[in-house]
Amino acid sequence: MKGFLLCLTAAIGIYGTAVSAYGAEPFVPKETTIAKPFSDVVYFDENPVTMNGYTIDGYTYFRLRDIAAGISLNPRDEEATFDVKYNTEENTIEVLRHQVYCPIKEPAFTVAPEEKVVHLSQMNLLVDGEETESPLPVYNIDGYSFCRLRDIASEVPFFVEWLSDVQKINVYTVVAAAKPVIYLYPEKTMDVSVKLDYAGDLTVTYPAYQDGWQVTAQPDGTLTNHADGLEYSYLFWEGNGQLDVDFSKGFVVKGEDTAAFLQKTLSDMGLTPKEYNDFIVYWLPDMQDNAYNLISFQQENYTEQAKLDIQPAPDSVLRVFMAFRPLEKPVEVTPQTFKPFVRDGFTVVEWGGTEVK
């Protein structure tokens, strides 16, 4: 598989502890709690917007309308825009995706100077007329609906990033292309079916994806595609979709040290020299000239949202997916650790990545 274009949602609690979307305790909002007013600048696709909101139990909440207005200001990807409608008769708040935000005439909004006792809203939040898979916490404060950026990002979607070293909130509506590649290594020559369970739209596949790939695989990884009879080294695809990215763990690497870092780290993760050289040749031009790179391997975040159905079923599978973003200055991040990978029997190996701009 080759690259696919991703709109990302981040597992970061703004002004709170960085929390992974996988393996963390579920967030349970309080019915009644204290809201502390604050004002800060949020960068929507690098456009600075002063946002007034409240800190509630360690998380930052903004008015839903202000989030929609910020996203619609000058989005790199118009698919991330959304409008907001309120229906008092049906007691609902509705997020309408892929629509330009229509502002209403109202006085300039400012938060109250004092702390407030606040309550969860009794209105139901719908997305395109449907209830969300998990109810999103919405607090009603002085008649306005306040939400966490990360919760709205999970539904629209867009990507939220909190840079603690410079106290900066970034919101991005699009990131760069990714490149997943699949290698098949059977113990003996065999016919293999590979199907992709992916919610987005495929934009490019090679060889052509025709309700899956049907190939004859050799032990050295050589593939013969049944549809055209041609030989391939691997399978790849591109598409548009959503991926949850968690930068709470990873590595900060100088651009000039990227090649050596990837050689060692990808080898430690289980890629062979041929596989990690293919990876490095593709990604190094985008990374080596950056002052620093924040690199995090997503693993479960990726495999849960881009599932593979391979028949016959492989005996061992390694799927490596890197997310990175350029940095001007280094930041503190908890290092990742990896379990050794053992190739046993029919082995499938995949690598890919995406750049968050």
Side-chain angles (χ1 to χ4, degrees), residues 64-356:
L64 187 55
R65 283 195 175 279
D66 292 337
I67 299 173
I71 290 290
S72 296
L73 182 63
N74 188 22
R76 293 174 179 169
D77 183 1
E78 293 185 356
E79 292 295 304
T81 61
F82 66 95
D83 200 4
V84 181
K85 300 294 183 184
Y86 292 85
N87 189 322
T88 54
E89 292 183 0
E90 297 185 9
N91 199 39
T92 59
I93 311 165
E94 187 166 6
V95 171
L96 303 172
R97 297 185 298 179
H98 315 319
Q99 295 192 23
V100 176
Y101 172 64
C102 295
I104 60 174
K105 292 183 179 180
E106 61 175 349
F109 170 71
T110 57
V111 293
E114 71 280 351
E115 295 182 359
K116 287 179 171 287
V117 176
V118 297
H119 308 276
L120 281 176
S121 175
Q122 297 304 305
M123 300 183 75
N124 295 319
L125 179 62
L126 307 178
V127 177
D128 293 339
E130 302 290 337
E131 293 183 357
T132 57
E133 184 174 338
S134 299
L136 302 184
V138 180
Y139 282 97
N140 185 290
I141 305 176
D142 296 333
Y144 298 113
S145 299
F146 285 79
C147 304
R148 298 190 304 171
L149 273 173
R150 62 175 293 187
D151 291 328
I152 302 304
S154 68
E155 298 295 333
V156 172
F158 48 85
F159 172 68
V160 183
E161 177 185 55
W162 165 238
L163 298 179
S164 58
D165 62 322
V166 292
Q167 302 286 295
K168 182 181 179 182
I169 305 170
N170 289 323
V171 174
Y172 300 106
T173 58
V174 70
V175 297
K179 176 185 166 74
V181 168
I182 299 175
Y183 307 88
L184 307 175
Y185 302 108
E187 291 186 294
K188 60 182 180 180
T189 301
M190 66 165 62
D191 292 337
V192 181
S193 168
V194 179
K195 292 189 176 182
L196 174 67
D197 181 4
Y198 176 64
D201 298 321
L202 298 180
T203 57
V204 178
T205 60
Y206 185 80
Y209 185 88
Q210 301 174 347
D211 192 30
W213 289 286
Q214 309 296 327
V215 299
T216 298
Q218 307 288 341
D220 66 356
T222 301
L223 307 177
T224 302
N225 185 35
H226 291 184
D228 57 20
L230 299 179
E231 187 175 293
Y232 298 84
S233 299
Y234 46 69
L235 308 171
F236 67 85
W237 56 273
E238 290 183 342
N240 298 319
Q242 175 184 341
L243 175 70
D244 290 333
V245 170
D246 180 6
F247 277 121
S248 62
K249 292 184 178 181
F251 309 91
V252 175
V253 181
K254 287 184 177 181
E256 62 192 34
D257 297 335
T258 300
F261 167 81
L262 290 176
Q263 284 175 335
K264 182 180 187 308
T265 304
L266 294 173
S267 177
D268 290 345
M269 296 176 75
L271 295 188
T272 65
K274 177 187 183 304
E275 294 160 357
Y276 67 64
N277 285 331
D278 287 347
F279 183 107
I280 292 170
V281 166
Y282 182 84
W283 285 111
L284 190 60
D286 295 328
M287 304 176 74
Q288 66 180 357
D289 293 330
N290 300 328
Y292 295 88
N293 293 298
L294 172 59
I295 299 171
S296 181
F297 294 94
Q298 297 302 296
Q299 311 316 80
E300 293 86 357
N301 298 25
Y302 170 69
T303 58
E304 284 296 314
Q305 295 174 68
K307 297 180 180 179
L308 292 175
D309 179 11
I310 301 176
Q311 299 297 331
D315 300 298
S316 52
V317 179
L318 175 63
R319 304 184 71 188
V320 175
F321 192 88
M322 174 193 72
F324 82 94
R325 75 175 308 274
L327 299 175
E328 292 297 326
K329 298 185 297 184
V331 299
E332 294 293 329
V333 63
T334 302
Q336 289 178 290
T337 58
F338 308 104
K339 296 180 180 179
F341 175 68
V342 178
R343 299 182 184 228
D344 181 26
F346 176 22
T347 299
V348 172
V349 175
E350 177 189 52
W351 61 255
T354 190
E355 177 184 1
V356 179

